[in-house]
Amino acid sequence: MANINIRLITKQQQYAVPDYPLSVFTSITTNELNNLVNELIKESRQLDKKIDFDFLISSQFLRTTLAEHISEKGLSTEQVIDVEYIEKHQPPEPQYCLIHDDWVSAIAVCDKWILTGCYDNTLHIWSFKAKHQLSIPGHGAPIKAVAWISLNETNGRFVSASHDQSTIIWDWNIKSNSVDCIHVCLGHERGLEAIDVNYDKSLMATGSWDTMLKIWSTSSQDETEDGEPNAKKLKSDHGKTRVPKRTMKGHKEAISGITWSDKTELITSSWDHTLKIWDSELGGMKHEIMGNKSFFDLHYSELSRTVITASADKHVRLYDPRSTEGAVVKSMFTSHTQWVQTVRWSTVDEHLFISGACDNEVKLWDTRSPKAPLFDLTGHEDKVLCCNWSNPKLIVSGGADNTVRIFKSKQFVH
């Protein structure tokens, strides 16, 4: 059997071992490496319990024998190979199932509150301990997207977008548990599919079947045409209609997803097989990325500065929107057996994201393991339509089985 020299390194100092080269068989697997590291930790640190580790070589998890991995990565067996080890991610634990009367097509989590939107035109607010706080009628067609604008101890503001061509900004008084519709945003000519609120929560963007991208103010104050607040307060005039600040066109089919990637930059996904990058201040398109199938969703990570997409060919793809040379698609993640409907990044770990698909599965991925997800989060009995991971402790998904599933994420922040 061939031997190779490796050096074991880690960023988790509590598990560090001496980093001198070790000679191991090229046929070694993760289990054997795990035993080796635990032995070395025991010798140098007197740790009693066994820790489970994952192993990274050239920024990718070892999922085969060392020899196969090295040959796939084209590494030289003459040199000492650095093997980084990190504590294995713990499986998320199923917590609660929130029962709705119809398909759950939109979900947004802020702190301890879960906002859901359904195909029976209703919105719902739940506590993360599964207590139903409020049911909100108001739309005339299925709700396809929801987002939080602000939240404190006494008040919450959020927005809902519907196939009834309207977007409504709501004010929730938490103490009295009542909501007011403060603005109805009108301007789209067909049903809405997507919404996202920008970083300082002052603007939101909507995308629709009319192929238009529109930018709106989220301010609760009434605003004149040029965006200046009116002295007249809103008290007497609930549900005032609001017009968009800006309309941008460029897509040929429905806009399926929107994500703000900067203070003034947005990225949209569409059924027309493209991703487009827009400048919200100049009001135009900066760049276009061609895909090979319809896109159903996308999400941008501030941590990795990359975009993941859900599409009609069962794959999740990772794009670097700023990439000018080489392939724009940096990785492809394949495990779902049906259309992928929804994707969301972790907000605290640049490598982790979740995806939900028509195969009834939610999957938790690490970008360093493109060939297999870390975990399958099962429970949905029909297609998964939406997911959210805004609260790092909660992985939440909604589906056509009329339920929201909540998993508790035991995440290590490296």
Side-chain angles (χ1 to χ4, degrees), residues 262-377:
D262 212 328
K263 287 187 174 58
T264 59
E265 187 183 87
L266 305 117
I267 309 175
T268 53
S269 62
S270 168
W271 283 62
D272 67 12
H273 301 195
T274 68
L275 305 175
K276 293 188 194 301
I277 301 172
W278 308 81
D279 186 315
S280 67
E281 287 202 333
L282 296 176
M285 190 174 73
K286 291 172 25 173
H287 185 44
E288 176 181 78
I289 298 168
M290 291 300 297
N292 53 358
K293 283 279 192 297
S294 291
F295 289 106
F296 297 144
D297 194 17
L298 84 168
H299 197 220
Y300 176 81
S301 166
E302 286 178 70
L303 302 176
S304 67
R305 297 172 71 79
T306 54
V307 170
I308 42 173
T309 62
S311 78
D313 63 0
K314 304 185 272 198
H315 305 294
V316 175
R317 287 179 179 79
L318 185 144
Y319 291 85
D320 179 352
R322 290 167 184 80
S323 173
T324 47
E325 62 241 25
V328 199
V329 179
K330 296 301 173 191
S331 307
M332 193 159 85
F333 304 86
T334 308
S335 173
H336 284 295
T337 56
Q338 302 276 334
W339 288 6
V340 186
Q341 290 285 344
T342 175
V343 284
R344 286 296 177 270
W345 283 104
S346 159
T347 54
V348 292
D349 187 313
E350 63 179 302
H351 300 292
L352 299 181
F353 69 87
I354 51 173
S355 62
C358 293
D359 58 10
N360 311 354
E361 297 271 344
V362 176
K363 292 177 188 280
L364 169 56
W365 297 87
D366 189 303
T367 54
R368 298 164 295 186
S369 173
K371 291 196 174 85
L374 295 185
F375 301 103
D376 290 342
L377 311 186

Side-chain angles (χ1 to χ4, degrees), residues 217-273:
S217 163
T218 60
S219 160
S220 54
Q221 245 109 47
D222 193 13
E223 290 189 351
T224 53
E225 293 294 313
D226 57 1
E228 288 301 309
N230 233 331
K232 180 170 100 276
K233 283 282 185 274
L234 246 169
K235 290 277 183 268
S236 61
D237 198 359
H238 274 218
K240 204 163 176 58
T241 57
R242 172 167 284 178
V243 293
K245 282 175 160 308
R246 179 164 297 226
T247 297
M248 296 184 272
K249 59 178 187 221
H251 279 296
K252 295 184 175 63
E253 288 189 51
I255 293 174
S256 56
I258 298 173
T259 185
W260 288 85
S261 48
D262 212 328
K263 287 187 174 58
T264 59
E265 187 183 87
L266 305 117
I267 309 175
T268 53
S269 62
S270 168
W271 283 62
D272 67 12
H273 301 195

Side-chain angles (χ1 to χ4, degrees), residues 8-27:
L8 292 164
I9 55 175
T10 186
K11 295 189 180 101
Q12 295 173 299
Q13 285 314 306
Q14 70 271 36
Y15 303 133
V17 298
D19 65 355
Y20 47 75
L22 299 163
S23 179
V24 296
F25 290 129
T26 54
S27 60

Side-chain angles (χ1 to χ4, degrees), residues 135-155:
S135 178
I136 307 161
H139 279 289
I143 292 158
K144 291 308 297 280
V146 292
W148 288 94
I149 297 169
S150 62
L151 182 68
N152 56 35
E153 288 301 301
T154 56
N155 272 79

